Amino acid sequence: MYEHPFIYGRQGPPRTVLYPGYYSNLTSHSVFADSMLYCPYTYYRQFPEVDPTLFKQSAEEMRILMKDASLILAKLADSREFTKKVMAAAQASNDQEVERLLKTTGIQSKVKATFNPDGLNLHLEASVKGSKSSILTIALRWR
């Protein structure tokens, strides 16, 4: 049952209207009752046709970024000397040396390294048709 105090535009005592299939203990003061029994939108939203071309290209570029990230991580994990050089350059705030060292791992994508006293953040970027389509960020701690 749904009690509505203003049925047919006339104020007065609440009248009871039965809506089949709904709860019988809802009152007019219930927000749940109002939202459940009244829906102004009776049409269905039409979505445009999807074009997965850019999404697919972005996924392909991300695959390349993941391979490049794997190369960097393998070099950092396997070579203590390389890791020491990267840390020393980062502590000296030598951005260009850090990026040059990372490029020597054989990566193809653009890499930007940022660092702080706690660690190193690597941002690998790929672009499709001149716009950034994929970005992979790796955060490594050294302290």
Side-chain angles (χ1 to χ4, degrees):
M1 298 257 218
Y2 176 71
E3 298 173 357
H4 195 289
F6 304 108
I7 196 156
Y8 302 113
R10 185 171 52 114
Q11 190 173 10
R15 297 182 187 217
T16 303
V17 180
L18 179 62
Y19 291 98
Y22 291 104
Y23 299 105
S24 60
N25 59 353
L26 300 176
T27 65
S28 64
H29 304 291
S30 170
V31 174
F32 178 70
D34 290 341
S35 66
M36 193 168 109
L37 297 176
Y38 176 71
C39 180
Y41 305 106
T42 58
Y43 61 91
Y44 292 99
R45 184 173 173 189
Q46 297 294 320
F47 293 103
E49 186 68 30
V50 295
D51 181 15
T53 306
L54 181 61
F55 192 43
K56 184 180 180 304
Q57 290 172 344
S58 181
E60 290 168 357
E61 291 295 325
M62 183 57 76
R63 184 184 291 168
I64 294 169
L65 293 180
M66 296 288 282
K67 286 180 184 176
D68 288 347
S70 181
L71 286 172
I72 292 172
L73 294 174
K75 184 75 172 186
L76 288 171
D78 296 341
S79 175
R80 185 173 178 85
E81 182 180 323
F82 180 76
T83 305
K84 190 174 181 179
K85 286 180 185 179
V86 171
M87 285 181 71
Q91 283 181 341
S93 295
N94 191 347
D95 299 340
Q96 292 155 346
E97 179 64 14
V98 171
E99 290 178 13
R100 186 193 69 75
L101 287 167
L102 294 173
K103 284 284 190 182
T104 63
T105 60
I107 63 172
Q108 300 171 3
S109 55
K110 180 181 172 185
V111 63
K112 179 163 178 22
T114 57
F115 32 84
N116 57 39
D118 293 331
L120 175 71
N121 294 321
L122 303 174
H123 306 278
L124 294 131
E125 295 179 4
S127 60
V128 173
K129 297 178 184 172
S131 66
K132 291 181 190 176
S133 63
S134 301
I135 300 172
L136 178 64
T137 302
I138 302 169
L140 301 168
R141 288 195 58 178
W142 58 45
R143 183 184 274 191

